[in-house]
Amino acid sequence: MIKVYTHSYKYDLALVLYKEMVRDINPKNPIFPDRFTFPFVIKSCGGLLCIKLGRQIHCQVCKFGPNSHSIICNGLMDMYIKFDTLRDAQKVFDEMCERDLITWNSLISGYARMGKMKRARELFNEMGPNKSIVSWTALISGYTKIGCYSDALGVFMEMQKLGINFDEICVVSVLPVCAQLGAFEIGKWIHIYSEKKGFLKSSICVCNAIIEMYAKCGCIDIALKLFHQMTEKDVISWSTMISGLAHNGEACKAIELFRDMERSKVKPNGITLLGLLSACVHGGFWSEGLSFFESMTRDYHLDIEIEHYGCVVDLLGRSGRLDQALETIRKMPMKPNSKIWGSLLSCCKVHGNLEVAYVAMEHLLELEPSDVGNYVLISNVFADNGRWESVSNVRKLITNSNMKKIPGCSLVEDS
């Protein structure tokens, strides 16, 4: 009954039944919870997100004796990882007499999910040769999450040298890395491999990841062809393609595709709106962008994030409506970040609006007082308006503060 309740997501009822079971234990009724009981009770604690109750169950595991069983220990580790208490998960791991593949993969995935990649890699190396595709994918996903794309790609290439076949989850994890690094040839090879293995037919997620990779590598025609070949599309498919068209300068096609999305009765989400606003920014369609922003919030009740407001500010700023852009920032329900103020300042430079530029400067320097790029941008605004004394003062400030501009860099993929 506890198992049935747990599998039916009725975690509270499973725990109520467990309490009744423990309460009724007596010499005449020696029915103790065992290695078949605890895994489901522990899972129910995790499902209810109740760590206090989970710790109590852990104590009872120790009390009733089956704490050395790997299935129970794996359940405890999984529960603690779900609560982001890696120290407790590590303690369970250290006390285990026998560890199976699930044990190692759970802890590696937990550390990787929390961005603690040094420890995740240590555990990965300690595993020895008995690694599974889950082990490799956890490491790739962890590096990708913290922006260490070269490390993620290095793990993938290491996996290939060992001749390990990868699955759909690994494909979805590694393709964003190819997109970020511009590793087109590797991404193309993964596409061919996925096609041979039938991943494109079995997984929408794989199709979406391949489309995003081609779009970010500038191969928008290939991305569009794959999109139209998909027999089934979800909101991520549409949003990915709209964003891809927008970032490749195909603003009109992006808006046209959104109209097709509406006709297909697919409800847009926040990513859709972001892609649509980006298309309007790149295409200079400020009135259409504002219209989309208002209609999407009104008709679809989307949660508007700071990135959406950033696009609106950029849209108004590029079109010269700097006062309206400033008013939009002041009405934002969240505190504007440095990207928004920096975008407004850049637009002030283009349109020569010193009044709004001073406001943007004040907030930008308050948020990022040590970013030399902001001072360079401010200096350029003064220079464009002939304020040479102010330019000199800003440059002296940069020199006296020993600030240095970080040089840009580019990556060339080995063929």
Side-chain angles (χ1 to χ4, degrees):
M1 284 303 301
I2 291 172
K3 176 182 177 181
V4 169
Y5 280 138
T6 303
H7 283 170
S8 303
Y9 306 105
K10 296 179 180 179
Y11 303 122
D12 52 342
L13 295 178
L15 291 170
V16 167
L17 205 59
Y18 169 76
K19 289 178 182 178
E20 289 180 13
M21 176 185 180
V22 175
R23 190 166 53 240
D24 288 344
I25 295 174
N26 58 66
K28 294 182 179 180
N29 183 38
I31 302 176
F32 297 97
D34 58 13
R35 62 191 179 90
F36 299 104
T37 314
F38 280 115
F40 302 108
V41 177
I42 293 166
K43 186 175 181 180
S44 293
C45 293
L48 291 175
L49 299 176
C50 183
I51 189 169
K52 184 178 180 180
L53 193 57
R55 292 188 193 282
Q56 291 174 356
I57 298 299
H58 188 177
C59 290
Q60 295 202 354
V61 168
C62 297
K63 176 182 177 181
F64 290 114
N67 56 311
S68 61
H69 200 277
S70 62
I71 294 177
I72 294 175
C73 291
N74 288 341
L76 286 169
M77 283 178 54
D78 186 64
M79 179 190 71
Y80 283 128
I81 289 167
K82 186 174 288 185
F83 294 136
D84 293 337
T85 53
L86 289 175
R87 182 180 296 177
D88 292 316
Q90 180 72 58
K91 188 175 180 181
V92 173
F93 177 87
D94 293 338
E95 292 175 354
M96 289 177 70
C97 299
E98 295 182 10
R99 302 174 184 133
D100 57 19
L101 195 57
I102 295 172
T103 310
W104 288 94
N105 287 340
S106 293
L107 196 57
I108 290 170
S109 298
Y111 277 111
R113 185 171 61 83
M114 294 290 290
K116 299 180 182 296
M117 292 310 300
K118 183 179 179 181
R119 181 58 183 146
R121 184 76 205 212
E122 287 173 354
L123 285 166
F124 181 83
N125 293 337
E126 288 173 20
M127 281 183 74
N130 299 321
K131 300 178 179 70
S132 68
I133 186 61
V134 176
S135 320
W136 292 93
T137 303
L139 215 57
I140 292 169
S141 299
Y143 280 127
T144 303
K145 185 177 180 180
I146 62 173
C148 294
Y149 303 116
S150 296
D151 290 323
L153 192 59
V155 172
F156 179 75
M157 298 308 292
E158 184 182 345
M159 187 177 79
Q160 294 312 295
K161 288 177 182 177
L162 295 173
I164 298 171
N165 293 325
F166 50 91
D167 57 10
E168 294 101 320
I169 299 173
C170 186
V171 169
V172 173
S173 299
V174 78
L175 278 172
V177 176
C178 298
Q180 290 292 336
L181 295 178
F184 173 72
E185 292 299 329
I186 297 174
K188 186 179 177 182
W189 178 81
I190 293 172
H191 174 202
I192 295 169
Y193 179 93
S194 300
E195 204 163 23
K196 287 181 179 178
K197 291 291 184 178
F199 295 163
L200 297 183
K201 293 181 179 179
S202 63
S203 174
I204 294 179
C205 292
V206 170
C207 292
N208 293 341
I210 292 173
I211 288 169
E212 183 183 33
M213 182 274 298
Y214 278 123
K216 286 190 174 179
C217 287
C219 302
I220 194 65
D221 292 335
I222 300 176
L224 201 55
K225 183 180 178 181
L226 285 170
F227 174 80
H228 288 308
Q229 287 175 350
M230 291 177 70
T231 54
E232 186 181 350
K233 304 179 183 74
D234 60 11
V235 63
I236 298 175
S237 312
W238 289 95
S239 302
T240 300
M241 197 65 249
I242 289 169
S243 298
L245 288 166
H247 291 294
N248 280 273
E250 300 283 359
C252 293
K253 286 184 179 180
I255 294 171
E256 185 181 336
L257 193 65
F258 174 70
R259 299 301 185 196
D260 290 340
M261 181 181 181
E262 286 185 315
R263 285 189 284 270
S264 298
K265 306 297 182 184
V266 178
K267 184 181 177 181
N269 60 15
I271 299 173
T272 318
L273 176 57
L274 195 61
L276 205 54
L277 289 173
S278 296
C280 293
V281 168
H282 292 300
F285 307 134
W286 71 271
S287 58
E288 291 87 344
L290 291 180
S291 177
F292 283 131
F293 182 78
E294 292 169 3
S295 65
M296 296 275 267
T297 51
R298 182 183 64 245
D299 300 335
Y300 296 107
H301 309 290
L302 298 177
D303 292 329
I304 304 303
E305 306 291 342
I306 194 166
E307 292 82 7
H308 299 113
Y309 281 104
C311 279
V312 172
V313 169
D314 198 20
L315 193 66
L316 291 168
R318 291 191 186 203
S319 64
R321 291 163 177 79
L322 296 166
D323 291 329
Q324 192 176 348
L326 183 58
E327 188 63 24
T328 300
I329 293 174
R330 286 172 172 165
K331 289 182 178 179
M332 283 171 57
M334 70 283 291
K335 186 178 179 180
N337 58 21
S338 58
K339 287 185 178 179
I340 288 180
W341 289 114
S343 172
L344 182 63
L345 185 58
S346 295
C347 294
C348 290
K349 177 182 181 299
V350 174
H351 296 283
N353 190 321
L354 269 180
E355 185 179 347
V356 176
Y358 278 123
V359 178
M361 277 186 244
E362 183 181 344
H363 288 90
L364 195 58
L365 295 181
E366 182 182 339
L367 290 169
E368 295 181 343
S370 58
D371 188 341
V372 67
N374 294 332
Y375 292 90
V376 172
L377 181 57
I378 292 165
S379 175
N380 291 339
V381 172
F382 286 137
D384 288 347
N385 286 271
R387 302 287 296 272
W388 301 111
E389 186 178 347
S390 299
V391 171
S392 179
N393 291 336
V394 172
R395 289 179 178 173
K396 285 178 183 177
L397 183 60
I398 294 173
T399 304
N400 294 337
S401 302
N402 292 321
M403 290 186 285
K404 294 182 179 179
K405 192 173 187 301
I406 299 172
C409 61
S410 32
L411 178 144
V412 178
E413 181 186 10
D414 292 333
S415 59

